[in-house]
Amino acid sequence: MSQMHRIIAVALLGCLSLGAHAKPPANADEAAMALADDAPVAEQLAKVERALHSEDYSELSVADKSRVQAALDRIRTKMGDRERFDQLTPPQKVEVFNDQEVVNTLMTNAKEDSRMVCRSERPIGSNRPQRTCMTVAQRRQATEDARQMKRDLRISEPKDAR
């Protein structure tokens, strides 16, 4: 996804998520976290922590996992002994919402990068296709490595060989 597409997607998510704390999304699996007024926050945080350590988010870096965990810890602290999001004061809701956005942004990007994509490819010298599976992030890294190798080869070539 290009940088411009990411910016547009984040902007749209920001606009659409303004009401996300009021009700859960239609498909709960699609959103990493949407604090519902009618559900205990502790359960929702536990669900996010379980998801954080699942294969669905395998491409989440250690630093990003730490950022997500820190945001979840801040939400727990702000909730205190309150069970539900609607028991918070408006300024507390804003702080929790900001932490929720950090979690959702990091986990949404990681889930997309962790998606497994399989292709049928023919190895050089063979007509028999083989199934090759990689995550989106692995495929992107392989493409970038190949481009870098091509650039390096061009640099090291003598000018008259070009």
Side-chain angles (χ1 to χ4, degrees), residues 55 58-59 112-121 130-143 145:
E55 268 307 299
S58 63
E59 294 296 331
E112 177 59 29
D113 285 348
S114 299
R115 188 172 48 92
M116 189 65 70
V117 177
C118 295
R119 291 186 181 164
S120 183
E121 298 174 346
Q130 291 181 340
R131 188 175 171 99
T132 307
C133 297
M134 287 190 247
T135 64
V136 171
Q138 289 170 331
R139 219 170 259 290
R140 182 175 42 248
Q141 185 62 47
T143 301
D145 290 347

mmCIF file with all atom_site columns, all heavy atoms in Angstrom, residues 55 58-59 112-121 130-143 145:
data_model
loop_
_atom_site.group_PDB
_atom_site.id
_atom_site.type_symbol
_atom_site.label_atom_id
_atom_site.label_alt_id
_atom_site.label_comp_id
_atom_site.label_asym_id
_atom_site.label_entity_id
_atom_site.label_seq_id
_atom_site.pdbx_PDB_ins_code
_atom_site.Cartn_x
_atom_site.Cartn_y
_atom_site.Cartn_z
_atom_site.occupancy
_atom_site.B_iso_or_equiv
_atom_site.pdbx_formal_charge
_atom_site.auth_seq_id
_atom_site.auth_comp_id
_atom_site.auth_asym_id
_atom_site.auth_atom_id
_atom_site.pdbx_PDB_model_num
ATOM 1   N N   . GLU A 1 55  ? -1.247 -15.658 15.676 1.00 0.00 ? 55  GLU A N   1
ATOM 2   C CA  . GLU A 1 55  ? -0.640 -15.637 14.337 1.00 0.00 ? 55  GLU A CA  1
ATOM 3   C C   . GLU A 1 55  ? -1.159 -14.473 13.497 1.00 0.00 ? 55  GLU A C   1
ATOM 4   O O   . GLU A 1 55  ? -0.474 -14.011 12.585 1.00 0.00 ? 55  GLU A O   1
ATOM 5   C CB  . GLU A 1 55  ? -0.958 -16.934 13.592 1.00 0.00 ? 55  GLU A CB  1
ATOM 6   C CG  . GLU A 1 55  ? 0.050  -18.029 13.729 1.00 0.00 ? 55  GLU A CG  1
ATOM 7   C CD  . GLU A 1 55  ? 1.473  -17.628 13.391 1.00 0.00 ? 55  GLU A CD  1
ATOM 8   O OE1 . GLU A 1 55  ? 1.772  -17.218 12.253 1.00 0.00 ? 55  GLU A OE1 1
ATOM 9   O OE2 . GLU A 1 55  ? 2.309  -17.734 14.292 1.00 0.00 ? 55  GLU A OE2 1
ATOM 10  N N   . SER A 1 58  ? 1.402  -11.699 13.661 1.00 0.00 ? 58  SER A N   1
ATOM 11  C CA  . SER A 1 58  ? 2.785  -12.174 13.733 1.00 0.00 ? 58  SER A CA  1
ATOM 12  C C   . SER A 1 58  ? 3.785  -11.146 13.209 1.00 0.00 ? 58  SER A C   1
ATOM 13  O O   . SER A 1 58  ? 4.951  -11.174 13.591 1.00 0.00 ? 58  SER A O   1
ATOM 14  C CB  . SER A 1 58  ? 2.936  -13.484 12.975 1.00 0.00 ? 58  SER A CB  1
ATOM 15  O OG  . SER A 1 58  ? 2.650  -13.287 11.604 1.00 0.00 ? 58  SER A OG  1
ATOM 16  N N   . GLU A 1 59  ? 3.392  -10.253 12.348 1.00 0.00 ? 59  GLU A N   1
ATOM 17  C CA  . GLU A 1 59  ? 4.306  -9.261  11.784 1.00 0.00 ? 59  GLU A CA  1
ATOM 18  C C   . GLU A 1 59  ? 4.405  -7.994  12.636 1.00 0.00 ? 59  GLU A C   1
ATOM 19  O O   . GLU A 1 59  ? 5.080  -7.051  12.256 1.00 0.00 ? 59  GLU A O   1
ATOM 20  C CB  . GLU A 1 59  ? 3.887  -8.885  10.361 1.00 0.00 ? 59  GLU A CB  1
ATOM 21  C CG  . GLU A 1 59  ? 4.013  -10.005 9.368  1.00 0.00 ? 59  GLU A CG  1
ATOM 22  C CD  . GLU A 1 59  ? 5.444  -10.472 9.158  1.00 0.00 ? 59  GLU A CD  1
ATOM 23  O OE1 . GLU A 1 59  ? 6.395  -9.673  9.306  1.00 0.00 ? 59  GLU A OE1 1
ATOM 24  O OE2 . GLU A 1 59  ? 5.615  -11.668 8.866  1.00 0.00 ? 59  GLU A OE2 1
ATOM 25  N N   . GLU A 1 112 ? -2.839 -6.821  8.530  1.00 0.00 ? 112 GLU A N   1
ATOM 26  C CA  . GLU A 1 112 ? -2.738 -6.846  7.062  1.00 0.00 ? 112 GLU A CA  1
ATOM 27  C C   . GLU A 1 112 ? -1.383 -7.413  6.635  1.00 0.00 ? 112 GLU A C   1
ATOM 28  O O   . GLU A 1 112 ? -1.307 -8.234  5.733  1.00 0.00 ? 112 GLU A O   1
ATOM 29  C CB  . GLU A 1 112 ? -2.936 -5.446  6.481  1.00 0.00 ? 112 GLU A CB  1
ATOM 30  C CG  . GLU A 1 112 ? -2.775 -5.370  4.986  1.00 0.00 ? 112 GLU A CG  1
ATOM 31  C CD  . GLU A 1 112 ? -3.713 -6.251  4.198  1.00 0.00 ? 112 GLU A CD  1
ATOM 32  O OE1 . GLU A 1 112 ? -4.827 -6.537  4.660  1.00 0.00 ? 112 GLU A OE1 1
ATOM 33  O OE2 . GLU A 1 112 ? -3.317 -6.684  3.093  1.00 0.00 ? 112 GLU A OE2 1
ATOM 34  N N   . ASP A 1 113 ? -0.316 -6.986  7.321  1.00 0.00 ? 113 ASP A N   1
ATOM 35  C CA  . ASP A 1 113 ? 1.018  -7.483  6.984  1.00 0.00 ? 113 ASP A CA  1
ATOM 36  C C   . ASP A 1 113 ? 1.189  -8.961  7.311  1.00 0.00 ? 113 ASP A C   1
ATOM 37  O O   . ASP A 1 113 ? 2.015  -9.639  6.713  1.00 0.00 ? 113 ASP A O   1
ATOM 38  C CB  . ASP A 1 113 ? 2.094  -6.685  7.728  1.00 0.00 ? 113 ASP A CB  1
ATOM 39  C CG  . ASP A 1 113 ? 2.312  -5.312  7.134  1.00 0.00 ? 113 ASP A CG  1
ATOM 40  O OD1 . ASP A 1 113 ? 1.796  -5.059  6.021  1.00 0.00 ? 113 ASP A OD1 1
ATOM 41  O OD2 . ASP A 1 113 ? 2.986  -4.495  7.771  1.00 0.00 ? 113 ASP A OD2 1
ATOM 42  N N   . SER A 1 114 ? 0.417  -9.477  8.265  1.00 0.00 ? 114 SER A N   1
ATOM 43  C CA  . SER A 1 114 ? 0.535  -10.872 8.689  1.00 0.00 ? 114 SER A CA  1
ATOM 44  C C   . SER A 1 114 ? -0.309 -11.821 7.844  1.00 0.00 ? 114 SER A C   1
ATOM 45  O O   . SER A 1 114 ? -0.230 -13.035 8.013  1.00 0.00 ? 114 SER A O   1
ATOM 46  C CB  . SER A 1 114 ? 0.111  -10.997 10.154 1.00 0.00 ? 114 SER A CB  1
ATOM 47  O OG  . SER A 1 114 ? 0.940  -10.220 10.973 1.00 0.00 ? 114 SER A OG  1
ATOM 48  N N   . ARG A 1 115 ? -1.103 -11.262 6.947  1.00 0.00 ? 115 ARG A N   1
ATOM 49  C CA  . ARG A 1 115 ? -1.966 -12.095 6.109  1.00 0.00 ? 115 ARG A CA  1
ATOM 50  C C   . ARG A 1 115 ? -1.123 -12.968 5.195  1.00 0.00 ? 115 ARG A C   1
ATOM 51  O O   . ARG A 1 115 ? -0.201 -12.514 4.530  1.00 0.00 ? 115 ARG A O   1
ATOM 52  C CB  . ARG A 1 115 ? -2.891 -11.190 5.286  1.00 0.00 ? 115 ARG A CB  1
ATOM 53  C CG  . ARG A 1 115 ? -3.967 -11.889 4.518  1.00 0.00 ? 115 ARG A CG  1
ATOM 54  C CD  . ARG A 1 115 ? -4.931 -10.884 3.902  1.00 0.00 ? 115 ARG A CD  1
ATOM 55  N NE  . ARG A 1 115 ? -4.270 -9.812  3.203  1.00 0.00 ? 115 ARG A NE  1
ATOM 56  C CZ  . ARG A 1 115 ? -3.977 -9.825  1.905  1.00 0.00 ? 115 ARG A CZ  1
ATOM 57  N NH1 . ARG A 1 115 ? -4.296 -10.859 1.168  1.00 0.00 ? 115 ARG A NH1 1
ATOM 58  N NH2 . ARG A 1 115 ? -3.376 -8.800  1.351  1.00 0.00 ? 115 ARG A NH2 1
ATOM 59  N N   . MET A 1 116 ? -1.425 -14.270 5.187  1.00 0.00 ? 116 MET A N   1
ATOM 60  C CA  . MET A 1 116 ? -0.679 -15.233 4.370  1.00 0.00 ? 116 MET A CA  1
ATOM 61  C C   . MET A 1 116 ? -1.237 -15.225 2.954  1.00 0.00 ? 116 MET A C   1
ATOM 62  O O   . MET A 1 116 ? -2.450 -15.303 2.746  1.00 0.00 ? 116 MET A O   1
ATOM 63  C CB  . MET A 1 116 ? -0.807 -16.624 4.977  1.00 0.00 ? 116 MET A CB  1
ATOM 64  C CG  . MET A 1 116 ? 0.078  -17.657 4.346  1.00 0.00 ? 116 MET A CG  1
ATOM 65  S SD  . MET A 1 116 ? 1.833  -17.367 4.556  1.00 0.00 ? 116 MET A SD  1
ATOM 66  C CE  . MET A 1 116 ? 2.059  -17.674 6.286  1.00 0.00 ? 116 MET A CE  1
ATOM 67  N N   . VAL A 1 117 ? -0.345 -15.113 1.977  1.00 0.00 ? 117 VAL A N   1
ATOM 68  C CA  . VAL A 1 117 ? -0.727 -15.126 0.565  1.00 0.00 ? 117 VAL A CA  1
ATOM 69  C C   . VAL A 1 117 ? 0.028  -16.271 -0.102 1.00 0.00 ? 117 VAL A C   1
ATOM 70  O O   . VAL A 1 117 ? 1.249  -16.355 -0.003 1.00 0.00 ? 117 VAL A O   1
ATOM 71  C CB  . VAL A 1 117 ? -0.369 -13.785 -0.126 1.00 0.00 ? 117 VAL A CB  1
ATOM 72  C CG1 . VAL A 1 117 ? -0.695 -13.829 -1.602 1.00 0.00 ? 117 VAL A CG1 1
ATOM 73  C CG2 . VAL A 1 117 ? -1.082 -12.632 0.549  1.00 0.00 ? 117 VAL A CG2 1
ATOM 74  N N   . CYS A 1 118 ? -0.698 -17.138 -0.751 1.00 0.00 ? 118 CYS A N   1
ATOM 75  C CA  . CYS A 1 118 ? -0.079 -18.271 -1.443 1.00 0.00 ? 118 CYS A CA  1
ATOM 76  C C   . CYS A 1 118 ? -0.243 -18.086 -2.949 1.00 0.00 ? 118 CYS A C   1
ATOM 77  O O   . CYS A 1 118 ? -1.305 -17.665 -3.416 1.00 0.00 ? 118 CYS A O   1
ATOM 78  C CB  . CYS A 1 118 ? -0.730 -19.587 -1.014 1.00 0.00 ? 118 CYS A CB  1
ATOM 79  S SG  . CYS A 1 118 ? -0.445 -19.963 0.730  1.00 0.00 ? 118 CYS A SG  1
ATOM 80  N N   . ARG A 1 119 ? 0.809  -18.431 -3.673 1.00 0.00 ? 119 ARG A N   1
ATOM 81  C CA  . ARG A 1 119 ? 0.798  -18.332 -5.132 1.00 0.00 ? 119 ARG A CA  1
ATOM 82  C C   . ARG A 1 119 ? 1.350  -19.612 -5.721 1.00 0.00 ? 119 ARG A C   1
ATOM 83  O O   . ARG A 1 119 ? 2.191  -20.270 -5.128 1.00 0.00 ? 119 ARG A O   1
ATOM 84  C CB  . ARG A 1 119 ? 1.668  -17.163 -5.602 1.00 0.00 ? 119 ARG A CB  1
ATOM 85  C CG  . ARG A 1 119 ? 1.115  -15.818 -5.254 1.00 0.00 ? 119 ARG A CG  1
ATOM 86  C CD  . ARG A 1 119 ? 1.957  -14.741 -5.876 1.00 0.00 ? 119 ARG A CD  1
ATOM 87  N NE  . ARG A 1 119 ? 1.430  -13.430 -5.504 1.00 0.00 ? 119 ARG A NE  1
ATOM 88  C CZ  . ARG A 1 119 ? 2.085  -12.317 -5.628 1.00 0.00 ? 119 ARG A CZ  1
ATOM 89  N NH1 . ARG A 1 119 ? 3.307  -12.320 -6.102 1.00 0.00 ? 119 ARG A NH1 1
ATOM 90  N NH2 . ARG A 1 119 ? 1.539  -11.193 -5.282 1.00 0.00 ? 119 ARG A NH2 1
ATOM 91  N N   . SER A 1 120 ? 0.901  -19.901 -6.910 1.00 0.00 ? 120 SER A N   1
ATOM 92  C CA  . SER A 1 120 ? 1.433  -21.034 -7.646 1.00 0.00 ? 120 SER A CA  1
ATOM 93  C C   . SER A 1 120 ? 2.487  -20.484 -8.597 1.00 0.00 ? 120 SER A C   1
ATOM 94  O O   . SER A 1 120 ? 2.171  -19.696 -9.488 1.00 0.00 ? 120 SER A O   1
ATOM 95  C CB  . SER A 1 120 ? 0.305  -21.718 -8.415 1.00 0.00 ? 120 SER A CB  1
ATOM 96  O OG  . SER A 1 120 ? 0.781  -22.838 -9.079 1.00 0.00 ? 120 SER A OG  1
ATOM 97  N N   . GLU A 1 121 ? 3.749  -20.870 -8.381 1.00 0.00 ? 121 GLU A N   1
ATOM 98  C CA  . GLU A 1 121 ? 4.849  -20.338 -9.170 1.00 0.00 ? 121 GLU A CA  1
ATOM 99  C C   . GLU A 1 121 ? 5.644  -21.480 -9.783 1.00 0.00 ? 121 GLU A C   1
ATOM 100 O O   . GLU A 1 121 ? 5.780  -22.539 -9.173 1.00 0.00 ? 121 GLU A O   1
ATOM 101 C CB  . GLU A 1 121 ? 5.763  -19.489 -8.286 1.00 0.00 ? 121 GLU A CB  1
ATOM 102 C CG  . GLU A 1 121 ? 5.064  -18.294 -7.683 1.00 0.00 ? 121 GLU A CG  1
ATOM 103 C CD  . GLU A 1 121 ? 5.930  -17.536 -6.690 1.00 0.00 ? 121 GLU A CD  1
ATOM 104 O OE1 . GLU A 1 121 ? 6.978  -18.078 -6.275 1.00 0.00 ? 121 GLU A OE1 1
ATOM 105 O OE2 . GLU A 1 121 ? 5.554  -16.413 -6.342 1.00 0.00 ? 121 GLU A OE2 1
ATOM 106 N N   . GLN A 1 130 ? 4.830  -24.833 -8.229 1.00 0.00 ? 130 GLN A N   1
ATOM 107 C CA  . GLN A 1 130 ? 4.925  -25.118 -6.800 1.00 0.00 ? 130 GLN A CA  1
ATOM 108 C C   . GLN A 1 130 ? 4.189  -24.031 -6.049 1.00 0.00 ? 130 GLN A C   1
ATOM 109 O O   . GLN A 1 130 ? 4.199  -22.873 -6.446 1.00 0.00 ? 130 GLN A O   1
ATOM 110 C CB  . GLN A 1 130 ? 6.382  -25.149 -6.341 1.00 0.00 ? 130 GLN A CB  1
ATOM 111 C CG  . GLN A 1 130 ? 7.170  -26.309 -6.859 1.00 0.00 ? 130 GLN A CG  1
ATOM 112 C CD  . GLN A 1 130 ? 8.597  -26.284 -6.333 1.00 0.00 ? 130 GLN A CD  1
ATOM 113 O OE1 . GLN A 1 130 ? 9.106  -25.263 -5.893 1.00 0.00 ? 130 GLN A OE1 1
ATOM 114 N NE2 . GLN A 1 130 ? 9.245  -27.436 -6.409 1.00 0.00 ? 130 GLN A NE2 1
ATOM 115 N N   . ARG A 1 131 ? 3.578  -24.407 -4.968 1.00 0.00 ? 131 ARG A N   1
ATOM 116 C CA  . ARG A 1 131 ? 2.845  -23.454 -4.136 1.00 0.00 ? 131 ARG A CA  1
ATOM 117 C C   . ARG A 1 131 ? 3.833  -22.771 -3.187 1.00 0.00 ? 131 ARG A C   1
ATOM 118 O O   . ARG A 1 131 ? 4.536  -23.427 -2.438 1.00 0.00 ? 131 ARG A O   1
ATOM 119 C CB  . ARG A 1 131 ? 1.772  -24.197 -3.363 1.00 0.00 ? 131 ARG A CB  1
ATOM 120 C CG  . ARG A 1 131 ? 0.827  -23.310 -2.620 1.00 0.00 ? 131 ARG A CG  1
ATOM 121 C CD  . ARG A 1 131 ? -0.255 -24.198 -2.000 1.00 0.00 ? 131 ARG A CD  1
ATOM 122 N NE  . ARG A 1 131 ? -1.084 -23.446 -1.109 1.00 0.00 ? 131 ARG A NE  1
ATOM 123 C CZ  . ARG A 1 131 ? -2.258 -22.968 -1.429 1.00 0.00 ? 131 ARG A CZ  1
ATOM 124 N NH1 . ARG A 1 131 ? -2.750 -23.217 -2.621 1.00 0.00 ? 131 ARG A NH1 1
ATOM 125 N NH2 . ARG A 1 131 ? -2.971 -22.285 -0.563 1.00 0.00 ? 131 ARG A NH2 1
ATOM 126 N N   . THR A 1 132 ? 3.871  -21.446 -3.239 1.00 0.00 ? 132 THR A N   1
ATOM 127 C CA  . THR A 1 132 ? 4.743  -20.653 -2.385 1.00 0.00 ? 132 THR A CA  1
ATOM 128 C C   . THR A 1 132 ? 3.881  -19.746 -1.520 1.00 0.00 ? 132 THR A C   1
ATOM 129 O O   . THR A 1 132 ? 3.091  -18.968 -2.044 1.00 0.00 ? 132 THR A O   1
ATOM 130 C CB  . THR A 1 132 ? 5.695  -19.787 -3.246 1.00 0.00 ? 132 THR A CB  1
ATOM 131 O OG1 . THR A 1 132 ? 6.372  -20.629 -4.169 1.00 0.00 ? 132 THR A OG1 1
ATOM 132 C CG2 . THR A 1 132 ? 6.687  -19.047 -2.395 1.00 0.00 ? 132 THR A CG2 1
ATOM 133 N N   . CYS A 1 133 ? 4.048  -19.868 -0.209 1.00 0.00 ? 133 CYS A N   1
ATOM 134 C CA  . CYS A 1 133 ? 3.261  -19.060 0.728  1.00 0.00 ? 133 CYS A CA  1
ATOM 135 C C   . CYS A 1 133 ? 4.171  -18.158 1.547  1.00 0.00 ? 133 CYS A C   1
ATOM 136 O O   . CYS A 1 133 ? 5.200  -18.607 2.059  1.00 0.00 ? 133 CYS A O   1
ATOM 137 C CB  . CYS A 1 133 ? 2.463  -19.963 1.668  1.00 0.00 ? 133 CYS A CB  1
ATOM 138 S SG  . CYS A 1 133 ? 1.251  -20.991 0.822  1.00 0.00 ? 133 CYS A SG  1
ATOM 139 N N   . MET A 1 134 ? 3.806  -16.883 1.634  1.00 0.00 ? 134 MET A N   1
ATOM 140 C CA  . MET A 1 134 ? 4.521  -15.893 2.443  1.00 0.00 ? 134 MET A CA  1
ATOM 141 C C   . MET A 1 134 ? 3.511  -14.886 2.964  1.00 0.00 ? 134 MET A C   1
ATOM 142 O O   . MET A 1 134 ? 2.453  -14.695 2.360  1.00 0.00 ? 134 MET A O   1
ATOM 143 C CB  . MET A 1 134 ? 5.536  -15.125 1.595  1.00 0.00 ? 134 MET A CB  1
ATOM 144 C CG  . MET A 1 134 ? 6.754  -15.874 1.197  1.00 0.00 ? 134 MET A CG  1
ATOM 145 S SD  . MET A 1 134 ? 7.945  -14.724 0.475  1.00 0.00 ? 134 MET A SD  1
ATOM 146 C CE  . MET A 1 134 ? 7.933  -15.309 -1.209 1.00 0.00 ? 134 MET A CE  1
ATOM 147 N N   . THR A 1 135 ? 3.866  -14.226 4.060  1.00 0.00 ? 135 THR A N   1
ATOM 148 C CA  . THR A 1 135 ? 3.011  -13.146 4.535  1.00 0.00 ? 135 THR A CA  1
ATOM 149 C C   . THR A 1 135 ? 3.196  -11.946 3.608  1.00 0.00 ? 135 THR A C   1
ATOM 150 O O   . THR A 1 135 ? 4.163  -11.876 2.847  1.00 0.00 ? 135 THR A O   1
ATOM 151 C CB  . THR A 1 135 ? 3.369  -12.728 5.974  1.00 0.00 ? 135 THR A CB  1
ATOM 152 O OG1 . THR A 1 135 ? 4.690  -12.199 5.990  1.00 0.00 ? 135 THR A OG1 1
ATOM 153 C CG2 . THR A 1 135 ? 3.238  -13.893 6.950  1.00 0.00 ? 135 THR A CG2 1
ATOM 154 N N   . VAL A 1 136 ? 2.276  -11.011 3.698  1.00 0.00 ? 136 VAL A N   1
ATOM 155 C CA  . VAL A 1 136 ? 2.363  -9.799  2.887  1.00 0.00 ? 136 VAL A CA  1
ATOM 156 C C   . VAL A 1 136 ? 3.679  -9.083  3.181  1.00 0.00 ? 136 VAL A C   1
ATOM 157 O O   . VAL A 1 136 ? 4.368  -8.617  2.268  1.00 0.00 ? 136 VAL A O   1
ATOM 158 C CB  . VAL A 1 136 ? 1.155  -8.878  3.155  1.00 0.00 ? 136 VAL A CB  1
ATOM 159 C CG1 . VAL A 1 136 ? 1.322  -7.529  2.497  1.00 0.00 ? 136 VAL A CG1 1
ATOM 160 C CG2 . VAL A 1 136 ? -0.131 -9.555  2.688  1.00 0.00 ? 136 VAL A CG2 1
ATOM 161 N N   . ALA A 1 137 ? 4.060  -9.009  4.447  1.00 0.00 ? 137 ALA A N   1
ATOM 162 C CA  . ALA A 1 137 ? 5.308  -8.329  4.821  1.00 0.00 ? 137 ALA A CA  1
ATOM 163 C C   . ALA A 1 137 ? 6.523  -9.065  4.270  1.00 0.00 ? 137 ALA A C   1
ATOM 164 O O   . ALA A 1 137 ? 7.474  -8.428  3.801  1.00 0.00 ? 137 ALA A O   1
ATOM 165 C CB  . ALA A 1 137 ? 5.405  -8.212  6.335  1.00 0.00 ? 137 ALA A CB  1
ATOM 166 N N   . GLN A 1 138 ? 6.519  -10.393 4.310  1.00 0.00 ? 138 GLN A N   1
ATOM 167 C CA  . GLN A 1 138 ? 7.639  -11.158 3.763  1.00 0.00 ? 138 GLN A CA  1
ATOM 168 C C   . GLN A 1 138 ? 7.761  -10.943 2.255  1.00 0.00 ? 138 GLN A C   1
ATOM 169 O O   . GLN A 1 138 ? 8.856  -10.799 1.716  1.00 0.00 ? 138 GLN A O   1
ATOM 170 C CB  . GLN A 1 138 ? 7.469  -12.649 4.053  1.00 0.00 ? 138 GLN A CB  1
ATOM 171 C CG  . GLN A 1 138 ? 7.674  -13.010 5.499  1.00 0.00 ? 138 GLN A CG  1
ATOM 172 C CD  . GLN A 1 138 ? 7.258  -14.447 5.794  1.00 0.00 ? 138 GLN A CD  1
ATOM 173 O OE1 . GLN A 1 138 ? 6.359  -14.998 5.136  1.00 0.00 ? 138 GLN A OE1 1
ATOM 174 N NE2 . GLN A 1 138 ? 7.885  -15.044 6.794  1.00 0.00 ? 138 GLN A NE2 1
ATOM 175 N N   . ARG A 1 139 ? 6.627  -10.917 1.569  1.00 0.00 ? 139 ARG A N   1
ATOM 176 C CA  . ARG A 1 139 ? 6.634  -10.700 0.124  1.00 0.00 ? 139 ARG A CA  1
ATOM 177 C C   . ARG A 1 139 ? 7.156  -9.299  -0.211 1.00 0.00 ? 139 ARG A C   1
ATOM 178 O O   . ARG A 1 139 ? 7.940  -9.108  -1.129 1.00 0.00 ? 139 ARG A O   1
ATOM 179 C CB  . ARG A 1 139 ? 5.214  -10.876 -0.427 1.00 0.00 ? 139 ARG A CB  1
ATOM 180 C CG  . ARG A 1 139 ? 5.189  -11.583 -1.739 1.00 0.00 ? 139 ARG A CG  1
ATOM 181 C CD  . ARG A 1 139 ? 3.791  -11.957 -2.160 1.00 0.00 ? 139 ARG A CD  1
ATOM 182 N NE  . ARG A 1 139 ? 3.471  -13.342 -1.913 1.00 0.00 ? 139 ARG A NE  1
ATOM 183 C CZ  . ARG A 1 139 ? 3.986  -14.361 -2.578 1.00 0.00 ? 139 ARG A CZ  1
ATOM 184 N NH1 . ARG A 1 139 ? 4.875  -14.154 -3.511 1.00 0.00 ? 139 ARG A NH1 1
ATOM 185 N NH2 . ARG A 1 139 ? 3.634  -15.587 -2.310 1.00 0.00 ? 139 ARG A NH2 1
ATOM 186 N N   . ARG A 1 140 ? 6.722  -8.314  0.570  1.00 0.00 ? 140 ARG A N   1
ATOM 187 C CA  . ARG A 1 140 ? 7.182  -6.942  0.355  1.00 0.00 ? 140 ARG A CA  1
ATOM 188 C C   . ARG A 1 140 ? 8.699  -6.853  0.592  1.00 0.00 ? 140 ARG A C   1
ATOM 189 O O   . ARG A 1 140 ? 9.419  -6.222  -0.175 1.00 0.00 ? 140 ARG A O   1
ATOM 190 C CB  . ARG A 1 140 ? 6.435  -5.984  1.294  1.00 0.00 ? 140 ARG A CB  1
ATOM 191 C CG  . ARG A 1 140 ? 6.810  -4.542  1.103  1.00 0.00 ? 140 ARG A CG  1
ATOM 192 C CD  . ARG A 1 140 ? 6.002  -3.542  1.934  1.00 0.00 ? 140 ARG A CD  1
ATOM 193 N NE  . ARG A 1 140 ? 5.766  -3.944  3.290  1.00 0.00 ? 140 ARG A NE  1
ATOM 194 C CZ  . ARG A 1 140 ? 4.570  -4.269  3.798  1.00 0.00 ? 140 ARG A CZ  1
ATOM 195 N NH1 . ARG A 1 140 ? 3.499  -4.225  3.052  1.00 0.00 ? 140 ARG A NH1 1
ATOM 196 N NH2 . ARG A 1 140 ? 4.442  -4.616  5.056  1.00 0.00 ? 140 ARG A NH2 1
ATOM 197 N N   . GLN A 1 141 ? 9.185  -7.522  1.638  1.00 0.00 ? 141 GLN A N   1
ATOM 198 C CA  . GLN A 1 141 ? 10.615 -7.512  1.936  1.00 0.00 ? 141 GLN A CA  1
ATOM 199 C C   . GLN A 1 141 ? 11.411 -8.207  0.827  1.00 0.00 ? 141 GLN A C   1
ATOM 200 O O   . GLN A 1 141 ? 12.465 -7.733  0.425  1.00 0.00 ? 141 GLN A O   1
ATOM 201 C CB  . GLN A 1 141 ? 10.890 -8.186  3.281  1.00 0.00 ? 141 GLN A CB  1
ATOM 202 C CG  . GLN A 1 141 ? 12.337 -8.097  3.717  1.00 0.00 ? 141 GLN A CG  1
ATOM 203 C CD  . GLN A 1 141 ? 12.799 -6.667  3.928  1.00 0.00 ? 141 GLN A CD  1
ATOM 204 O OE1 . GLN A 1 141 ? 12.115 -5.880  4.564  1.00 0.00 ? 141 GLN A OE1 1
ATOM 205 N NE2 . GLN A 1 141 ? 13.962 -6.321  3.388  1.00 0.00 ? 141 GLN A NE2 1
ATOM 206 N N   . ALA A 1 142 ? 10.901 -9.325  0.320  1.00 0.00 ? 142 ALA A N   1
ATOM 207 C CA  . ALA A 1 142 ? 11.583 -10.035 -0.767 1.00 0.00 ? 142 ALA A CA  1
ATOM 208 C C   . ALA A 1 142 ? 11.656 -9.163  -2.015 1.00 0.00 ? 142 ALA A C   1
ATOM 209 O O   . ALA A 1 142 ? 12.689 -9.122  -2.702 1.00 0.00 ? 142 ALA A O   1
ATOM 210 C CB  . ALA A 1 142 ? 10.864 -11.348 -1.074 1.00 0.00 ? 142 ALA A CB  1
ATOM 211 N N   . THR A 1 143 ? 10.576 -8.451  -2.310 1.00 0.00 ? 143 THR A N   1
ATOM 212 C CA  . THR A 1 143 ? 10.555 -7.549  -3.470 1.00 0.00 ? 143 THR A CA  1
ATOM 213 C C   . THR A 1 143 ? 11.571 -6.425  -3.285 1.00 0.00 ? 143 THR A C   1
ATOM 214 O O   . THR A 1 143 ? 12.320 -6.099  -4.206 1.00 0.00 ? 143 THR A O   1
ATOM 215 C CB  . THR A 1 143 ? 9.139  -6.965  -3.667 1.00 0.00 ? 143 THR A CB  1
ATOM 216 O OG1 . THR A 1 143 ? 8.223  -8.033  -3.866 1.00 0.00 ? 143 THR A OG1 1
ATOM 217 C CG2 . THR A 1 143 ? 9.081  -6.011  -4.845 1.00 0.00 ? 143 THR A CG2 1
ATOM 218 N N   . ASP A 1 145 ? 14.241 -6.471  -1.372 1.00 0.00 ? 145 ASP A N   1
ATOM 219 C CA  . ASP A 1 145 ? 15.589 -7.054  -1.432 1.00 0.00 ? 145 ASP A CA  1
ATOM 220 C C   . ASP A 1 145 ? 16.023 -7.262  -2.880 1.00 0.00 ? 145 ASP A C   1
ATOM 221 O O   . ASP A 1 145 ? 17.177 -6.993  -3.240 1.00 0.00 ? 145 ASP A O   1
ATOM 222 C CB  . ASP A 1 145 ? 15.639 -8.387  -0.684 1.00 0.00 ? 145 ASP A CB  1
ATOM 223 C CG  . ASP A 1 145 ? 15.524 -8.217  0.822  1.00 0.00 ? 145 ASP A CG  1
ATOM 224 O OD1 . ASP A 1 145 ? 15.647 -7.069  1.317  1.00 0.00 ? 145 ASP A OD1 1
ATOM 225 O OD2 . ASP A 1 145 ? 15.284 -9.237  1.508  1.00 0.00 ? 145 ASP A OD2 1
#
